[in-house]
Amino acid sequence: MAGKDDKNVPRHVGIIMDGNGRWAKKRGLARIMGHRAGMETVEEIVDRAYNIGIKHLSLYSFSTENWKRMPAEIEGLRELFRIYLMSKVEKMYARGVKIRFSGRIDAFGSDISKHARNVEEYTKNNTNLEVVFCVNYGGRQEIVDAVNKLLSERVEGPITEDVLRDRMYVPDVPDPDLLIRTGGELRMSNFLLWESAYSEYYFTDIYWPDFNSAELDKAILDYSRRERRYGVA
Ligand code: IPE
Ligand code: IPE
Ligand code: MG
């Protein structure tokens, strides 16, 4: 298995944590129970990512399209997010985890965004692993927000890739090396569109609540066997 000093360990892994609803349905439970179970998976995967030596972990938690869901599910997700932030932060802090948020989090609820900013401030000097929660995140919206930032700064053209990249939500985080999607769908659903230009993809049918350390190891092993060429012959 890949270890901490392995050069084949991806520096930045992004995960589309999908399949919570179907996991619950299979058990005759309400969808929110799937989200609750998924929250526990997050804890296990953060731990494993740290042990493997991954430096950045982006977790797709709520997309800009997820507002189309029933109000009860959205409220349930917000409540779980609040609970998560309150109950798991100390544990992550103890492991030296730096927590960040990416997305239009202010529109996710003022109490949550305030709490999120506090957590960012509290953990900002930690260096073992950076966990980026993508909340009310959309890849297209991120690019549009970056362009609007440029306009408000009255930046003069021509615009380069670097100038635009610097206006993304977390510009200091390197592009993801590996993107994992659980739950069986083969699509990106508006996740990290700009940043994933050269990412490797790994898809698994396993529902997010059933994803675990061994499954993450499998994805990393698969990644480590690939050859990344970036257009070079
Ligand atoms: C992913 O699980 C979690 C969020 C989108 C918040 P889903 O809720 O999309 O689960 P499925 O895809 O319906 O099974
Ligand atoms: C993507 O999952 C969003 C998150 C995991 C937060 P969805 O379940 O919302 O994606 P679609 O609707 O299947 O594309
Ligand atoms: Mg889904």
Side-chain angles (χ1 to χ4, degrees):
M1 185 44 232
K4 260 191 166 59
D5 302 318
D6 196 326
K7 67 173 174 25
N8 290 323
V9 170
R11 204 155 52 125
H12 179 185
V13 175
I15 307 184
I16 301 172
M17 309 183 289
D18 196 23
N20 293 350
R22 282 163 287 163
W23 181 92
K25 193 173 173 203
K26 212 174 74 180
R27 287 165 174 73
L29 301 170
R31 291 180 61 83
I32 197 66
M33 297 306 285
H35 296 311
R36 191 186 290 258
M39 207 165 92
E40 299 308 319
T41 306
V42 169
E43 188 171 4
E44 175 170 346
I45 294 308
V46 166
D47 252 8
R48 187 65 190 156
Y50 162 68
N51 283 320
I52 292 173
I54 291 165
K55 299 307 288 182
H56 313 269
L57 182 67
S58 290
L59 299 175
Y60 204 5
S61 310
F62 191 90
S63 78
T64 45
E65 287 67 40
N66 289 148
W67 291 109
K68 294 174 194 156
R69 296 190 177 193
M70 300 288 277
E73 183 174 357
I74 295 172
E75 202 30 65
L77 280 165
R78 278 213 279 230
E79 186 56 27
L80 277 181
F81 212 72
R82 235 175 259 128
I83 293 170
Y84 188 86
L85 285 180
M86 285 191 286
S87 63
K88 310 282 188 189
V89 166
E90 273 312 321
K91 238 184 199 165
M92 290 206 263
Y93 183 86
R95 284 168 178 66
V97 174
K98 175 176 176 175
I99 301 173
R100 305 273 295 276
F101 297 89
S102 171
R104 294 179 175 173
I105 186 138
D106 292 342
F108 199 62
S110 59
D111 52 337
I112 292 179
S113 66
K114 212 172 104 193
H115 201 51
R117 296 300 164 222
N118 288 339
V119 168
E120 281 188 325
E121 181 63 26
Y122 179 56
T123 61
K124 71 176 180 193
N125 294 321
N126 287 346
T127 55
N128 287 343
L129 166 68
E130 182 170 38
V131 177
V132 184
F133 289 101
C134 303
V135 179
N136 196 16
Y137 174 89
R140 286 190 173 176
Q141 289 76 3
E142 180 178 27
I143 295 169
V144 168
D145 285 352
V147 170
N148 280 321
K149 236 180 256 176
L150 282 174
L151 291 174
S152 68
E153 292 169 25
R154 299 183 185 282
V155 171
E156 292 210 2
I159 300 303
T160 62
E161 273 187 27
D162 285 344
V163 168
L164 191 55
R165 157 180 252 291
D166 284 348
R167 272 82 184 169
M168 296 291 164
Y169 295 142
V170 286
D172 52 307
V173 176
D175 287 345
D177 301 293
L178 173 64
L179 289 178
I180 297 171
R181 181 172 189 140
T182 64
E185 310 295 352
L186 306 179
R187 54 178 170 258
M188 298 316 288
S189 304
N190 207 9
F191 191 43
L192 302 179
L193 296 185
W194 170 272
E195 298 83 351
S196 65
Y198 252 103
S199 301
E200 299 291 328
Y201 291 158
Y202 180 88
F203 296 100
T204 170
D205 288 340
I206 292 173
Y207 296 144
W208 176 247
D210 289 331
F211 196 75
N212 56 25
S213 299
E215 293 301 329
L216 179 64
D217 288 355
K218 262 189 356 206
I220 303 301
L221 187 65
D222 190 281
Y223 168 88
S224 72
R225 290 178 175 147
R226 299 184 194 183
E227 186 193 352
R228 302 181 75 186
R229 284 192 291 276
Y230 300 100
V232 178

